[in-house]
Amino acid sequence: MYSNRSVSTQKRTCPLLSVQPVRGLLDEKFQIAVTNLPPNQKVTLHSLHQSDDKDFWEAFGHYVSDEHGSVTGFKDESLGGTYDGTEPMGLLWSMRPIPGKKCDVVRISVYNGHLSQGFSHQAPLATSVTERWYVAPGVKRVNIREKEIRGTLFLPPGSGPYPGVLDLWGVGGDFVEYRSALLASHGFASMALEYLTPEDLSLEDTDASYFEKAYQILNNHPMVKKDHLAVLGLSLGSAITLSMASYSKVIKPQCCVCISGSHLMPVEKSLSELFELMKSHADKLCVNEDNQVILRNLILSLPCQSAKVDVGRIKCPLLLVNGDDDQTLPAVESAEDMAMMMEKAGNRHLLEILMYPDAGHLIEPPYSPHFRATNYKLEWTKEKIVMLWGGQTKPHAYAQEDAWKKILAFLWQHLSAPVSTVTSF
């Protein structure tokens, strides 16, 4: 949701800051405009945000007002800052962490002059409080606790039934729901599946049958359009998606989306066995000069490469979304090999590849800040490291925006869903 309450803090100039639309979803663009400035005045647009982990983030761009004393973020160029050029959403995707600060809301402010630091010590010309949400009004959140399956189902407003999406996140964090919430806001019944050490279940028990049961629960839900399901995975979730779509006799999706995934890491048995295999090859991990771990070489070294997922068996449309600077998985090699395997099997026409230059591993919904490297705990050793995900900030932001639009269009096309209409806030 957005709120648009602009407050001028310097009455002498009375500048006004506007953020539109007033309310909307996280993947919607907004428009920022500053008026009532002197002509040709140097100003800085600044944003700050506190994450769920209580980290403080900021971004800023340097602008010059036009002859009318106005600055419009959607058409004027930033001359410097954390982003440059005409970037309507630069105040979000170029955010970077600032230690030692706290903020309860998202604030966008305009400052006199071109500033790069010390914002907390300066009085802004005007400030607008804004909020962005993953969940549209009327979306329902349903806890799934059935047949040992743990997850969260998000249902769009209305009576349904809706096309369904089984949403599989990757490794390395808490249970993630927000992508499913956003998908439900666009008309899909999306179930975020908890599959890494869910309550009352060990990794030894998390095997093909676990994902098959989850698929059946979603397919049989009264608010879900039966046999109109997709599977969407990120990272390890993509490896699971490819394995299930290739081999399962239960999981028969109408389409699949794999983000930053590889067929070189088949999930043949339980996740526990896969992690034990990776643990035994931990010596293949590479570390760069910044002490950041590069995982891709370990994946390439796994002996299961001789038993890579036979994607030639996939019988549904498959969208593969990768960045060519992915330092976690061999994205380019995987895409090329998958294309050859599907060509040989006669189903190359089912595969659509989106390969984004200079994009990294963590391709998320649009306007999310870029993380080139983060603190990370290896699931198979419990060791705390700094993982290198890859990507450069601006091209990675472009990849997230373009990929999300194409993922939604792909799902609408193959699940016979209507063109998405965002519920009004």
Side-chain angles (χ1 to χ4, degrees):
M1 180 179 71
Y2 305 97
S3 147
N4 188 39
R5 293 178 282 109
S6 182
V7 179
S8 174
T9 58
Q10 293 188 9
K11 295 182 179 180
R12 182 170 55 87
T13 57
C14 296
L16 296 176
L17 172 62
S18 171
V19 181
Q20 296 291 338
V22 174
R23 296 176 176 179
L25 287 172
L26 177 135
D27 58 356
E28 292 182 79
K29 286 187 175 182
F30 57 41
Q31 296 183 0
I32 298 174
V34 185
T35 56
N36 290 356
L37 294 168
N40 302 314
Q41 180 176 353
K42 293 180 179 180
V43 295
T44 300
L45 288 177
H46 177 261
S47 62
L48 29 89
H49 167 64
Q50 188 178 34
S51 71
D52 291 340
D53 295 327
K54 307 303 180 183
D55 298 319
F56 188 79
W57 294 71
E58 72 172 0
F60 57 91
H62 296 156
Y63 294 85
V64 177
S65 63
D66 61 19
E67 66 273 19
H68 304 294
S70 299
V71 171
T72 51
F74 65 92
K75 72 175 184 179
D76 291 339
E77 292 188 7
S78 169
L79 305 179
T82 55
Y83 63 98
D84 54 33
T86 305
E87 298 292 346
M89 305 303 291
L91 284 173
L92 293 185
W93 59 251
S94 71
M95 278 188 167
R96 61 190 188 184
I98 302 296
K101 290 287 186 180
K102 300 296 179 184
C103 177
D104 294 330
V105 295
V106 179
R107 291 187 177 93
I108 296 178
S109 302
V110 57
Y111 290 85
N112 184 33
H114 286 171
L115 307 180
S116 297
Q117 59 185 357
F119 292 97
S120 61
H121 303 297
Q122 300 290 329
L125 300 176
T127 293
S128 182
V129 178
T130 70
E131 294 182 358
R132 295 169 62 78
W133 294 77
Y134 288 98
V135 184
V139 170
K140 300 179 181 64
R141 182 183 182 277
V142 181
N143 286 324
I144 300 297
R145 299 289 185 271
E146 183 179 343
K147 299 180 180 178
E148 299 181 343
I149 304 303
R150 300 292 181 265
T152 305
L153 176 62
F154 290 89
L155 297 170
S159 59
Y162 309 99
V165 178
L166 183 61
D167 186 6
L168 307 177
W169 202 255
V171 184
D174 296 329
F175 178 46
V176 175
E177 299 182 350
Y178 59 78
R179 187 170 60 189
S180 278
L182 194 55
L183 286 168
S185 300
H186 284 282
F188 301 98
S190 185
M191 177 177 165
L193 180 64
E194 187 174 3
Y195 64 90
L196 290 171
T197 60
E199 183 182 348
D200 301 327
L201 191 69
S202 67
L203 286 175
E204 287 78 8
D205 297 323
T206 310
D207 53 15
S209 65
Y210 184 81
F211 301 101
E212 290 173 343
K213 290 176 184 176
Y215 184 90
Q216 290 175 317
I217 288 172
L218 182 61
N219 196 34
N220 293 328
H221 194 280
M223 295 289 284
V224 175
K225 195 174 182 181
K226 193 174 181 64
D227 297 327
H228 284 73
L229 267 63
V231 183
L232 186 156
L234 168 71
S235 191
L236 177 59
S238 282
I240 295 169
T241 297
L242 291 173
S243 295
M244 297 302 106
S246 297
Y247 303 126
S248 175
K249 295 182 180 179
V250 174
I251 298 176
K252 300 296 181 183
Q254 278 59 58
C255 63
C256 294
V257 178
C258 292
I259 306 170
S260 301
S262 173
H263 69 314
L264 302 178
M265 192 169 58
V267 183
E268 298 177 300
K269 296 181 181 178
S270 69
L271 291 183
S272 176
E273 290 189 14
L274 174 63
F275 290 154
E276 282 298 318
L277 180 63
M278 298 182 77
K279 182 177 180 180
S280 67
H281 286 72
D283 61 320
K284 301 298 183 181
L285 287 172
C286 294
V287 179
N288 65 12
E289 62 275 12
D290 296 319
N291 202 34
Q292 298 168 339
V293 173
I294 302 172
L295 185 62
R296 66 188 310 276
N297 290 344
L298 184 152
I299 302 299
L300 286 169
S301 73
L302 294 178
C304 61
Q305 300 313 313
S306 59
K308 56 192 174 187
V309 178
D310 183 6
V311 293
R313 300 168 60 99
I314 293 177
K315 303 302 181 184
C316 68
L318 169 63
L319 178 62
L320 185 63
V321 180
N322 282 339
D324 71 2
D325 191 38
D326 190 334
Q327 299 298 312
T328 304
L329 292 172
V332 175
E333 298 92 330
S334 294
E336 292 174 348
D337 193 45
M338 288 175 61
M340 288 191 293
M341 292 175 69
M342 296 184 74
E343 182 74 38
K344 184 176 180 180
N347 60 353
R348 176 62 179 83
H349 63 286
L350 296 176
L351 176 63
E352 180 180 351
I353 299 175
L354 301 178
M355 185 66 68
Y356 291 100
D358 295 323
H361 184 75
L362 299 176
I363 300 177
E364 299 197 62
Y367 319 129
S368 304
H370 169 235
F371 299 91
R372 180 168 175 81
T374 65
N375 294 328
Y376 183 83
K377 184 174 73 174
L378 289 174
E379 188 68 33
W380 47 94
T381 66
K382 306 304 180 184
E383 178 186 2
K384 294 182 179 180
I385 62 170
V386 177
M387 181 72 81
L388 180 63
W389 305 107
Q392 302 299 322
T393 299
K394 181 177 286 191
H396 190 88
Y398 289 162
Q400 292 192 147
E401 182 175 355
D402 187 73
W404 184 248
K405 291 177 182 176
K406 291 177 179 176
I407 288 169
L408 291 177
F410 183 83
L411 294 174
W412 297 331
Q413 175 185 356
H414 296 292
L415 296 181
S416 301
V419 175
S420 171
T421 56
V422 178
T423 304
S424 177
F425 277 78

